């Protein structure tokens, strides 16, 4: 039975878990971090090559300052405390999201873990922090378009058009023709995603009963299989993960084909 190559998890329900137990939201997040450790070990055991964890969305900045501060403290602590395990188990740590907007201590911790673990080749662990699928697409569009416009010959030509005081319609029609000439494709866009070499998630799990993506991997989820469970993230166990994997193995991924074509 095929296992997913890339599993992405929307770890949701820490707050509700804490509230149900009369604890603070911070205690919920701390309990959630323990579940992350369990999941990492399970992915190593199953030899899953890529695991993405949605830890903080760009929309999460709208939470109370105290909660945001606690979360970043927790991320830093977690990355530091997991580093020995990452090195020992051959985990390559990476991140997606806008790193430059993070608190400096978090940037340092992330960069340190990324560089220390770059040789790991058993499991790639991707933390989505300050991540938004919409922002990632926007970033990729901007980058790929500027790549085209910044090509030397084009730059000189555009400058000449401007110097010759051509109309804006002329300039626009020239720019449009550039995209025809270079056959701008999906690949140009994909080459500028945060991690261009990362395969799309085969399987996206969301805990806590919410049935939405909340801006996670919008482009990459085009053909992902989804799994939703009511279990809150701190309660999500190795057994729950097994159950999810089993569900994945019973899915039929057609990618637009018909059943008779699938075994060919
Ligand atoms: C997910 O749990 C963790 C983060 C978004 C950082 P929540 O904090 O969203 O938990 P609920 O949804 O309030 O229960
Ligand atoms: C999604 O959870 C983001 C993370 C798990 C980090 P949220 O709890 O922020 O999502 P919404 O706001 O309920 O959609
Ligand atoms: Mg939530």
């Amino acid at each position: 039975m095929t296992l997913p190559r890339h599993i992405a998890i929307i770890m949701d329900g820490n707050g509700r878990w804490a509230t149900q137990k009369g604890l603070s939201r911070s205690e919920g997040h701390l309990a959630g971090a323990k579940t992350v450790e369990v999941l990492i070990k399970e992915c190593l055991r199953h030899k899953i090559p890529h695991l993405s964890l949605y830890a903080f969305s760009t929309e999460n900045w709208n939470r109370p300052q105290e909660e945001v501060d606690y979360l970043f403290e927790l991320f830093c602590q977690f990355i530091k405390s997991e580093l020995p395990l990452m090195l020992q188990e051959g985990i390559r740590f990476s991140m997606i999201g806008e790193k430059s907007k993070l608190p400096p201590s978090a940037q340092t911790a992330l960069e340190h873990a990324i560089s220390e673990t770059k040789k790991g080749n058993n499991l790639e662990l991707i933390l989505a922090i300050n991540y938004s699928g919409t922002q990632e697409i926007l970033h990729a569009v901007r980058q790929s378009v500027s790549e085209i416009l910044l090509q030397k010959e084009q730059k000189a030509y555009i400058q000449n058009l401007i110097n010759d005081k051509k109309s804006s319609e002329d300039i626009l029609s020239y720019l449009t023709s550039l995209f025809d000439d270079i056959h701008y494709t999906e690949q140009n866009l994909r080459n500028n995603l945060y991690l261009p070499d990362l395969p799309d998630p085969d399987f996206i799990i969301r805990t806590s009963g919410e049935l939405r993506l909340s801006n996670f991997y919008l482009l990459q989820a085009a053909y992902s299989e989804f799994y939703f469970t009511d279990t809150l993230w701190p309660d999500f166990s190795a057994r729950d993960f097994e159950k999810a994997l089993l569900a994945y193995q019973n899915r039929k991924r057609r990618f637009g084909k018909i059943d008779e074509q699938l075994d060919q």
Side-chain angles (χ1 to χ4, degrees):
M1 283 288 203
T2 350
L3 284 170
R5 272 210 305 159
H6 179 185
I7 300 179
I9 307 184
I10 303 171
M11 312 180 287
D12 200 8
N14 295 350
R16 277 162 283 171
W17 181 89
T19 307
Q20 282 173 11
K21 294 193 151 34
L23 302 170
S24 67
R25 292 184 61 88
S26 299
E27 287 169 290
H29 294 311
L30 186 63
K34 303 224 163 75
T35 305
V36 171
E37 217 172 87
V38 173
L39 256 284
I40 294 174
K41 287 179 181 153
E42 284 306 297
C43 285
L44 284 165
R45 196 166 71 78
H46 285 288
K47 300 193 166 42
I48 307 278
H50 311 274
L51 171 66
S52 291
L53 300 172
Y54 201 7
F56 194 88
S57 72
T58 52
E59 289 76 19
N60 288 145
W61 292 110
N62 296 320
R63 293 192 178 196
Q65 190 61 43
E66 195 189 310
E67 179 167 349
V68 171
D69 291 345
Y70 178 78
L71 280 168
F72 279 98
E73 214 177 283
L74 185 62
F75 297 150
C76 291
Q77 262 176 32
F78 180 82
I79 295 163
K80 278 180 203 148
S81 68
E82 293 302 301
L83 195 56
L85 175 86
M86 292 198 243
L87 292 169
Q88 183 192 319
E89 298 289 346
I91 295 173
R92 187 170 70 263
F93 179 77
S94 55
M95 80 157 285
I96 51 172
E98 284 301 327
K99 195 166 63 191
S100 62
K101 308 262 162 54
L102 301 182
S105 54
Q107 291 189 37
T108 312
L110 288 162
E111 278 156 14
H112 181 68
I114 292 168
S115 83
E116 288 291 301
T117 63
K118 63 174 184 281
K119 295 212 173 81
N121 55 11
N122 287 332
L123 168 67
E124 180 182 18
L125 175 64
I126 304 120
L127 215 53
I129 297 190
N130 193 19
Y131 177 84
S132 144
T134 320
Q135 288 300 322
E136 180 176 27
I137 294 169
L138 193 61
H139 162 88
V141 170
R142 282 187 172 147
Q143 289 286 119
S144 54
V145 170
S146 35
E147 268 172 15
I148 297 163
L149 297 183
L150 286 177
Q151 286 165 11
K152 252 210 208 122
E153 325 78 75
Q154 318 293 10
K155 233 165 93 179
Y157 194 84
I158 295 166
Q159 195 58 54
N160 284 339
L161 287 177
I162 295 169
N163 293 346
D164 293 349
K165 299 205 174 41
K166 292 274 187 219
S167 69
S168 49
E169 283 80 19
D170 286 344
I171 297 176
L172 192 64
S173 100
Y174 171 69
L175 293 179
T176 315
S177 75
L178 281 182
F179 289 89
D180 296 338
D181 288 350
I182 64 138
H183 302 295
Y184 184 83
T185 64
E186 181 178 335
Q187 203 51 49
N188 292 81
L189 192 67
R190 281 186 172 269
N191 288 344
N192 287 287
L193 293 176
Y194 292 132
L195 296 173
D197 297 329
L198 181 68
D200 286 347
D202 301 294
F203 196 36
I204 297 182
I205 299 173
R206 182 169 190 152
T207 56
S208 88
E210 307 299 350
L211 309 178
R212 54 179 173 264
L213 271 177
S214 301
N215 222 343
F216 196 33
Y217 276 148
L218 295 185
L219 183 138
Q220 297 91 330
Y223 267 100
S224 303
E225 295 295 328
F226 292 91
Y227 183 85
F228 298 104
T229 168
D230 287 339
T231 306
L232 303 172
W233 178 246
D235 288 331
F236 193 74
S237 65
R239 262 189 79 187
D240 294 318
F241 185 58
E242 288 298 324
K243 227 169 104 182
L245 287 181
L246 201 63
Y248 175 84
Q249 289 173 318
N250 286 317
R251 303 278 175 92
K252 216 171 238 177
R253 304 187 75 192
R254 296 193 186 82
F255 297 100
K257 297 179 182 173
I258 63 165
D259 287 347
E260 287 71 18
Q261 297 172 297
L262 294 184
D263 298 325
Q264 294 165 16

